[in-house]
Amino acid sequence: MTKYILKRIVMSIFVIFLIATATFWLCRAIPGGPFDKEKPLNATTIANLNKKFHLDKPVSEQYVDYMVGVAKFDFGPSYYHINESVNDYIDRCFPVSMTLGVWAMIVATLLGIPAGIVSALKQNGWQDNILKVLTTLFVSLPNFVIASGLMYFLGIKLRLLPVSMWGTWKEMVMPVLALAAYPLSYFTKMMKSSMLEVLNSDYIRTAKAKGASNFIVIYKHALKNALLPIITVMGPMFASIITGSFVVEKLFVIPGLGQEFTKSIFNRDYTMIMGLTIFYSILLIASILIVDVLYAVVDPRIKLGKEGK
């Protein structure tokens, strides 16, 4: 397994290199520059800014300098926030997005997996029918609709929770629920489908024929295999959530990465766009690697590396 992990790390570094390269050249290909504003700056000011941020150098030289910085995990200065770096914003905003994402995934996992099991065991029953309606509803509705509904009913009408801001547990409830709605519904549907498939397997019929109780059959024999598809999607989805939900953070005025990424696009803050894109890619690639390793932990029959070929 160690050799497999090292091989994947080398491949991941190469992929991140390609992503960083593509992001750099795509940002340079966008018409205009980082200092083009609605109210144009004078030529002297633009020249001084270009010199300060080394944009007066040839593009090829800028690329080399940027890639050297990326190798050191230095994403450079922000073009919009003077005297601030992209790393400063990641250090400040990522813990907020991380907290929001972790709680959303905890809620989605703790509710979605049991709901999927219940839906499979009570197939076509009233429990299954209710869960079908709820999961279809939450999967279909965009985040901003769910967030707006929570704000209206829990915040404005019932006055149970604050409508915006971030910090106390009350301020966290609605953003977490809004962000957890989609993965919760997705996990429920996937867990139901996976559990039904596993329960119809030959080894489950054999376990039942030997007189094993339903509890043993479900939680000892079926659950591990049924969880594998959930683990597959959990890693990338977790990486996506913890880097910040643009809409949820914007609606609830949460100072996370999602809101900053949106601002950087409107402000033509190219180093911020590139830095956050690469940072997201690192998290996504790391999560996929962790998922592959978890496969072997959850199901020892799965071998990594040459043995699994």
Side-chain angles (χ1 to χ4, degrees), residues 38-51:
E38 292 182 6
K39 185 178 179 180
L41 301 173
N42 61 63
T44 304
T45 302
I46 292 178
N48 290 334
L49 288 171
N50 285 334
K51 185 175 182 180

Side-chain angles (χ1 to χ4, degrees), residues 64-129:
V64 173
D65 291 342
Y66 185 75
M67 295 303 291
V68 170
V70 170
K72 299 176 182 177
F73 292 97
D74 179 6
F75 299 120
S78 169
Y79 292 158
Y80 182 76
H81 303 282
I82 306 300
N83 299 323
E84 295 257 69
S85 70
V86 176
N87 291 62
D88 292 336
Y89 275 88
I90 292 175
D91 291 342
R92 183 167 69 252
C93 298
F94 179 63
V96 176
S97 293
M98 179 77 170
T99 303
L100 174 61
V102 166
W103 279 110
M105 284 299 294
I106 289 173
V107 170
T109 304
L110 293 182
L111 296 182
I113 291 176
I117 295 173
V118 170
S119 190
L121 297 178
K122 304 293 182 180
Q123 187 180 19
N124 298 324
W126 64 268
Q127 301 96 327
D128 183 32
N129 291 330

Side-chain angles (χ1 to χ4, degrees), residues 26-283:
L26 285 172
C27 283
R28 289 297 185 275
I30 298 173
F35 309 119
D36 293 343
K37 308 295 180 184
E38 292 182 6
K39 185 178 179 180
L41 301 173
N42 61 63
T44 304
T45 302
I46 292 178
N48 290 334
L49 288 171
N50 285 334
K51 185 175 182 180
K52 176 180 179 179
F53 294 109
H54 308 293
L55 295 177
D56 55 340
K57 294 182 179 180
V59 179
S60 58
E61 193 173 335
Q62 294 179 41
Y63 168 72
V64 173
D65 291 342
Y66 185 75
M67 295 303 291
V68 170
V70 170
K72 299 176 182 177
F73 292 97
D74 179 6
F75 299 120
S78 169
Y79 292 158
Y80 182 76
H81 303 282
I82 306 300
N83 299 323
E84 295 257 69
S85 70
V86 176
N87 291 62
D88 292 336
Y89 275 88
I90 292 175
D91 291 342
R92 183 167 69 252
C93 298
F94 179 63
V96 176
S97 293
M98 179 77 170
T99 303
L100 174 61
V102 166
W103 279 110
M105 284 299 294
I106 289 173
V107 170
T109 304
L110 293 182
L111 296 182
I113 291 176
I117 295 173
V118 170
S119 190
L121 297 178
K122 304 293 182 180
Q123 187 180 19
N124 298 324
W126 64 268
Q127 301 96 327
D128 183 32
N129 291 330
I130 291 174
L131 288 171
K132 280 180 184 176
V133 172
L134 292 176
T135 52
T136 303
L137 183 67
F138 290 137
V139 165
S140 304
L141 289 175
N143 272 344
F144 73 88
V145 175
I146 297 173
S148 300
L150 290 171
M151 292 170 74
Y152 178 75
F153 288 106
L154 298 182
I156 298 173
K157 278 291 184 181
L158 300 178
R159 298 183 181 277
L160 295 176
L161 298 168
V163 174
S164 62
M165 301 308 293
W166 178 261
T168 66
W169 70 268
K170 286 187 176 182
E171 293 169 342
M172 294 170 61
V173 172
M174 285 197 289
V176 167
L177 292 178
L179 196 56
Y182 177 80
L184 192 160
S185 304
Y186 192 77
F187 289 166
T188 301
K189 284 178 171 290
M190 183 169 282
M191 191 67 199
K192 175 191 174 182
S193 176
S194 181
M195 182 61 76
L196 287 174
E197 183 179 349
V198 171
L199 289 176
N200 289 323
S201 302
D202 290 337
Y203 75 93
I204 294 296
R205 295 194 190 98
T206 302
K208 289 180 178 179
K210 290 181 178 180
S213 65
N214 284 335
F215 181 86
I216 295 296
V217 168
I218 294 168
Y219 293 100
K220 185 177 179 180
H221 298 291
L223 186 58
K224 270 191 176 183
N225 289 330
L227 280 174
L228 291 177
I230 302 291
I231 294 173
T232 303
V233 300
M234 190 177 288
M237 188 173 288
F238 181 59
S240 176
I241 287 177
I242 64 175
T243 49
S245 170
F246 304 157
V247 176
V248 171
E249 289 186 3
K250 188 73 174 176
L251 283 174
F252 290 102
V253 198
I254 298 172
L257 280 182
Q259 189 168 185
E260 187 56 45
F261 190 74
T262 306
K263 289 180 182 177
S264 67
I265 295 172
F266 287 109
N267 295 328
R268 294 174 176 265
D269 194 350
Y270 298 148
T271 48
M272 188 71 73
I273 296 171
M274 292 186 292
L276 294 183
T277 301
I278 296 168
F279 182 68
Y280 169 76
S281 301
I282 293 171
L283 290 176

